[in-house]
């Protein structure tokens, strides 16, 4: 039987480590507290509860006018769930604002810490562009060499690639990188014959084969980058706390080319730090894991995070797709701290280039998060870990819940046609204004922090910051109903049993055609048009109230094409709008990765020649033959 290509593997000596499958029905024991954040949690959840209760009273008064029906009761319950979700997000963001307000003063960086332990950097890859992956690998390795700590770090490219041509490109590209960096590069490559359990299985396979040789591992995605300084500081923090099992960074989005990617990049950079600080403040040692750009203690992970298969058929059963939340919960169940470091920079990733690409990624994430319904009741989990799992579920379920609430409201309104209006208009407007304020206020607070942190300086840059926030707010408002319908469709697909599969993410810009945009959004266009017509026929006032939603849906196809354009993304950057600090002063590791990515493209002819030589017949000496024929092509390269 012919061996699967590529034949090349480069691995160190095995250092095997047991990683037992965890039993979700058996608790290992009572959890001991690791950090005292009870007062913070009382403040956050108390404020959320009080705000939701006040809004619930107003909503009950509105619904009770003329009698409280079963329909009103359903709408009331949905309102409480959705308003509490919104209020909790605001309160957590406000906590992050207070934390960063007290801490944000420009200060000199701490000196580089001294580290002693060996750490592995793992980059799992599945049908990804080898040029992007290998450019990141080399850029990180060179940065580690620059800090003179490279001997403590090994980098593993863990391939689950199924496409043979891509796998050959990985091999040839890795050979080129190893030749360029020299024999001490400590770069390793392994391709699994079968990609059992996807990314979680890929990492688990490495832990079982090589984990005993390393104190910690840093997990990277195919689009991840991390500076050597950040890597060293993560390692030092892991060494300093013997109870720390996982430390998550808050990655910064970089490399955006399309206008849609720039919107995400700007929003994440402007608002993300404050939101992460808020979550870190109340999570304490019961933090969460986002699957990449984090350091994990290998022995803790091996002992606590071996994932079982969930019972039943897909999409709810089988291997756990959104493994990261579950691994964090199991680590905490095992007595290890799981924390988020929201202050440490130098951690980067990329954003989906188009709305369609985001929807495809979200479809898989939606299925994985809904699988957590089978994990959230696992024995021995900390209640905050269960909350993280619930938030992951609600991040998708809230979209169809909003649609249901709108549907209940429309049904109730239609039932009152021809009757005297009984709703208190002032109270309804007040409730709507409060809800809108809870959504917008965190963005305004983040803008204030950006000025105080001096990530923008001068009148011109300050004006561009607020103009960028206005653009982001307006375009996000138009895109929001489209994403809501896409997420609702994803939830519906999962509920009726459709499996999403596992496809590689699209990370390159400039590939959305008009036909694909229309096929992806034609339903949204029709829904927006029909909704606007019905609202106008019923009452022009309703038409104007719902016009932002109808407009976003009606324009979804051209808007999707517009946001997918790279020339508009470059135009906004030229105008100084939606620009992040990492674009004004490009971090060296990012600049080097971009340079190496371009070099990879220029070297295509050389790589093809290397592959041709590798696959050509190999001359083998035949002593029984005389003359030039003594060297004959007897062996074929795999």
């Amino acid at each position: 039987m012919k061996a699967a290509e590529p034949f090349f593997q480069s691995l160190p000596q095995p250092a095997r480590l047991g990683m037992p499958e965890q039993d979700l029905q058996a608790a290992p024991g009572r959890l001991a507290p690791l950090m005292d954040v009870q007062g913070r949690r009382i403040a956050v959840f108390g404020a959320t509860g009080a705000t939701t209760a006040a809004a619930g009273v107003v909503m009950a008064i509105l619904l009770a006018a003329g009698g409280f029906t079963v329909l009103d009761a359903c709408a009331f319950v949905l309102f409480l769930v959705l308003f509490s979700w919104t209020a909790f997000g605001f309160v957590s963001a406000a906590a992050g604002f207070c934390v960063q307000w007290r801490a944000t003063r420009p200060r000199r960086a701490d000196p580089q810490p001294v580290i002693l332990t060996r750490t592995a950097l793992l980059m799992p890859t599945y049908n990804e562009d080898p040029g992007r992956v290998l450019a990141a690998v080399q850029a990180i390795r060179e940065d580690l060499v620059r800090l003179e700590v490279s001997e403590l770090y090994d980098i593993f490219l863990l391939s689950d690639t199924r496409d043979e041509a891509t796998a050959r490109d990985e091999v040839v590209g890795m050979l080129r990188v190893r030749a360029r960096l020299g024999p001490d590069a400590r770069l390793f490559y392994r391709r699994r014959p079968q990609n059992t359990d996807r990314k979680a299985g890929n990492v688990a396979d490495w832990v079982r084969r090589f984990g005993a040789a390393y104190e910690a591992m840093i997990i990277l995605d195919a689009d991840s980058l991390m500076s050597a300084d950040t890597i060293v500081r993560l390692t030092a923090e892991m060494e300093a706390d013997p109870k720390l099992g996982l430390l998550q960074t808050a990655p910064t989005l970089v490399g955006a080319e399309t206008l849609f990617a720039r919107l995400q990049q700007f929003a994440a950079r402007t608002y993300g730090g404050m939101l992460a600080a808020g979550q870190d403040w109340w999570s304490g040692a019961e933090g969460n894991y986002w699957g990449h750009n984090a350091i994990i203690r290998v022995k803790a992970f091996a002992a606590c995070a071996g994932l079982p298969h969930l019972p039943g058929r897909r999409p709810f059963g089988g291997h756990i797709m959104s493994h990261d939340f579950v691994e964090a919960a199991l680590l905490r169940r095992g007595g290890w701290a799981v924390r988020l470091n929201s202050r440490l920079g130098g951690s980067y990733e990329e954003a989906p280039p188009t709305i369609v690409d985001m929807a495809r990624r979200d479809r898989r994430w939606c299925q994985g998060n809904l699988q957590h319904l089978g994990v959230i009741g696992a024995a021995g989990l900390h209640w905050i870990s269960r909350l993280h799992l619930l938030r992951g579920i609600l991040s998708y379920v809230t979209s169809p819940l909003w649609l249901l609430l709108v549907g209940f409201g429309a049904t109730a309104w239609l039932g009152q046609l021809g009757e005297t209006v009984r709703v208190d208009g002032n109270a309804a407007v007040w409730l709507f204004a409060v809800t809108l304020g809870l959504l917008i206020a965190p963005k305004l607070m983040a803008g204030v922090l950006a000025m105080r942190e001096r990530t923008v300086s001068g009148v011109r840059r300050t004006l561009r910051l607020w103009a960028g926030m206005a653009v982001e707010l307006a375009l996000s408002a138009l895109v929001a109903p489209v994403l809501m319908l896409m997420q609702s469709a994803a939830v519906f697909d999962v509920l009726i049993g459709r499996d999403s599969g596992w496809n590689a993410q699209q990370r390159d810009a400039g590939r959305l055609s008009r036909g694909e945009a229309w096929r992806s959004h034609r339903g949204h266009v029709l829904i927006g048009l029909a909704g606007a017509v019905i609202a106008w026929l019923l009452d022009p006032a309703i038409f104007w109230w719902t016009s932002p939603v109808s407009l976003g849906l009606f324009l979804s196809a051209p808007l999707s094409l517009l946001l997918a354009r790279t020339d508009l993304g470059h135009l906004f950057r030229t105008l100084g709008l939606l620009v992040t600090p990492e674009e004004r002063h490009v971090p060296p590791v990012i600049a080097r990765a971009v340079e190496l990515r371009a070099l990879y493209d220029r070297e295509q002819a050389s790589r093809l020649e290397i592959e041709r030589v590798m696959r050509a017949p190999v001359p083998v000496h035949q002593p029984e033959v005389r003359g030039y024929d003594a060297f004959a092509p007897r062996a074929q390269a795999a």
Side-chain angles (χ1 to χ4, degrees):
M1 178 177 167
K2 185 178 178 181
E5 293 186 9
F7 69 91
F8 171 81
Q9 292 195 98
S10 170
L11 294 170
Q13 289 297 317
R16 302 193 180 278
L17 183 63
M19 187 171 179
E21 182 179 295
Q22 298 300 302
D23 185 354
L24 299 182
Q25 307 305 317
R30 186 174 181 178
L31 285 176
L34 295 176
M35 291 181 66
D36 184 12
V37 291
Q38 183 177 358
R40 300 176 183 181
R41 290 170 182 169
I42 291 174
V44 168
F45 294 107
T48 301
T51 307
T52 303
V57 169
V58 176
M59 187 65 174
I61 294 172
L62 292 174
L63 292 173
F68 202 78
T69 65
V70 174
L71 191 66
D72 293 332
C74 293
F76 182 70
V77 171
L78 281 177
F79 172 81
L80 289 181
V81 172
L82 294 170
F83 190 89
S84 63
W85 170 262
T86 304
F88 180 78
F90 167 78
V91 173
S92 181
F97 174 82
C98 295
V99 169
Q100 291 202 321
W101 182 266
R102 290 182 307 207
T104 53
R105 290 293 183 190
R107 61 185 181 87
R108 188 174 301 174
D110 295 331
Q112 179 181 324
V114 176
I115 55 174
L116 303 173
T117 53
R118 296 186 67 224
T119 300
L121 277 69
L122 310 185
M123 184 174 281
T125 180
Y126 175 80
N127 291 343
E128 296 283 354
D129 174 13
R132 171 182 279 103
V133 174
L134 293 170
V137 165
Q138 183 174 343
I140 292 172
R141 170 56 64 188
E142 290 177 352
D143 212 24
L144 291 169
V145 171
R146 180 183 61 82
L147 286 191
E148 300 180 344
V149 293
S150 59
E151 69 278 2
L152 293 175
Y153 294 94
D154 294 348
I155 301 179
F156 290 80
L157 183 60
L158 304 178
S159 175
D160 261 354
T161 294
R162 300 297 94 196
D163 180 72
E164 295 298 335
T166 303
R168 289 195 296 270
D169 288 343
E170 289 173 357
V171 167
V172 177
M174 177 61 79
L175 290 173
R176 292 285 288 177
V177 172
R178 285 167 60 94
R180 189 176 294 123
L181 295 178
D184 299 327
R186 304 294 297 175
L187 301 179
F188 302 105
Y189 174 86
R190 183 271 286 136
R191 183 187 179 212
R192 288 199 298 170
Q194 300 292 330
N195 60 332
T196 306
D197 292 348
R198 312 298 184 180
K199 180 180 176 181
N202 198 355
V203 173
D205 175 79
W206 178 89
V207 170
R208 293 187 175 104
R209 295 177 64 187
F210 307 104
Y214 302 91
E215 180 66 24
M217 57 183 179
I218 294 177
I219 308 296
L220 301 169
D221 253 1
D223 62 343
S224 294
L225 267 175
M226 196 175 283
S227 71
D229 181 73
T230 298
I231 291 171
V232 170
R233 294 183 188 280
L234 286 174
T235 307
E237 199 160 347
M238 181 67 72
E239 290 181 354
D241 185 354
K243 293 300 294 179
L244 181 59
L246 186 150
L247 184 62
Q248 173 72 63
T249 65
T252 300
L253 296 183
V254 295
E257 296 186 61
T258 65
L259 182 53
F260 181 69
R262 294 195 68 79
L263 286 172
Q264 298 172 79
Q265 180 176 280
F266 176 80
R269 185 61 175 87
T270 307
Y271 319 134
M274 183 185 74
L275 300 179
Q279 179 170 318
D280 179 31
W281 187 74
W282 58 263
S283 291
E286 290 75 43
N288 209 359
Y289 174 39
W290 302 327
H292 56 88
N293 291 50
I295 187 169
I296 305 173
R297 194 177 300 276
V298 176
K299 291 181 176 59
F301 190 81
C304 304
L307 297 182
H309 283 201
L310 297 178
R313 300 174 59 184
R314 294 180 180 176
F316 286 102
H319 77 276
I320 298 174
M321 297 175 65
S322 292
H323 54 91
D324 39 14
F325 283 35
V326 180
E327 288 162 347
L330 292 177
L331 277 168
R332 183 63 191 95
R333 185 178 79 161
W336 297 93
V338 177
R339 294 198 285 106
L340 166 64
N341 189 327
S342 60
R343 305 173 306 280
L344 189 60
S347 177
Y348 311 103
E349 63 174 328
E350 297 178 6
T354 69
I355 295 175
V356 174
D357 292 319
M358 173 176 274
R360 288 171 180 160
R361 184 191 69 177
D362 272 9
R363 173 60 183 85
R364 190 178 73 207
W365 285 7
C366 175
Q367 180 173 329
N369 283 17
L370 291 184
Q371 274 187 313
H372 294 167
L373 289 168
V375 180
I376 197 168
L381 297 186
H382 196 282
W383 71 274
I384 292 292
S385 298
R386 299 188 201 277
L387 177 65
H388 290 313
L389 294 170
L390 178 62
R391 293 181 71 204
I393 295 168
L394 287 176
S395 64
Y396 290 96
V397 173
T398 48
S399 290
L401 291 184
W402 276 114
L403 290 179
L404 278 175
L405 183 60
V406 171
F408 283 142
T411 303
W413 186 89
L414 289 173
Q416 296 181 16
L417 286 178
E419 300 181 13
T420 304
V421 176
R422 298 186 296 269
V423 174
D424 185 341
N426 291 332
V429 171
W430 178 87
L431 193 58
F432 175 79
V434 169
T435 305
L436 193 62
L438 294 178
L439 294 171
I440 296 177
K443 299 189 176 188
L444 302 179
M445 292 189 292
V448 173
L449 281 177
M451 292 191 298
R452 190 169 190 268
E453 290 175 348
R454 300 181 185 175
T455 54
V456 291
S457 58
V459 176
R460 183 174 298 179
R461 281 189 179 176
T462 300
L463 291 176
R464 286 173 176 170
L465 167 70
W466 289 98
M469 291 175 61
V471 170
E472 188 275 331
L473 183 61
L475 291 178
S476 295
L478 290 175
V479 170
V482 181
L483 294 179
M484 182 175 68
L485 286 182
M486 286 178 158
Q487 289 184 345
S488 299
V491 172
F492 179 76
D493 275 353
V494 175
L495 293 179
I496 64 174
R498 292 177 182 168
D499 183 28
S500 69
W502 193 276
N503 297 317
Q505 294 185 38
Q506 174 57 255
R507 306 187 194 276
D508 294 324
R511 297 193 180 185
L512 182 65
S513 65
R514 293 181 179 178
E516 186 178 10
W518 172 246
R519 287 190 299 272
S520 299
H521 296 292
R522 57 191 173 190
H524 308 143
V525 173
L526 296 176
I527 291 172
L529 180 61
V533 170
I534 293 172
W536 180 264
L537 293 175
L538 292 175
D539 191 334
I542 296 178
F543 170 82
W544 291 114
W545 271 99
T546 60
S547 59
V549 174
S550 300
L551 185 64
L553 293 173
F554 179 67
L555 296 178
S556 57
L559 183 63
S560 187
L561 279 172
L562 194 72
L563 295 177
R565 291 177 56 174
T566 57
D567 57 344
L568 284 180
H570 297 158
L571 175 62
F572 270 70
R573 179 173 181 175
T574 302
L575 295 174
L577 297 176
L578 306 177
V579 176
T580 63
E582 287 73 25
E583 291 178 295
R584 298 189 190 97
H585 306 286
V586 181
V589 70
I590 296 178
R592 181 56 175 157
V594 171
E595 180 184 342
L596 290 169
R597 181 66 182 85
L599 177 63
Y600 180 87
D601 291 338
R602 293 197 300 270
E603 288 185 337
Q604 182 179 9
S606 299
R607 292 195 309 276
L608 290 175
E609 180 62 20
I610 291 173
E611 183 185 344
R612 186 191 67 78
V613 171
M614 291 173 61
R615 296 172 62 82
V618 178
V620 178
H621 178 59
Q622 302 179 56
E624 69 276 9
V625 180
R626 299 193 176 195
Y628 291 106
D629 292 335
F631 294 89
R634 289 270 304 277
Q636 179 76 23

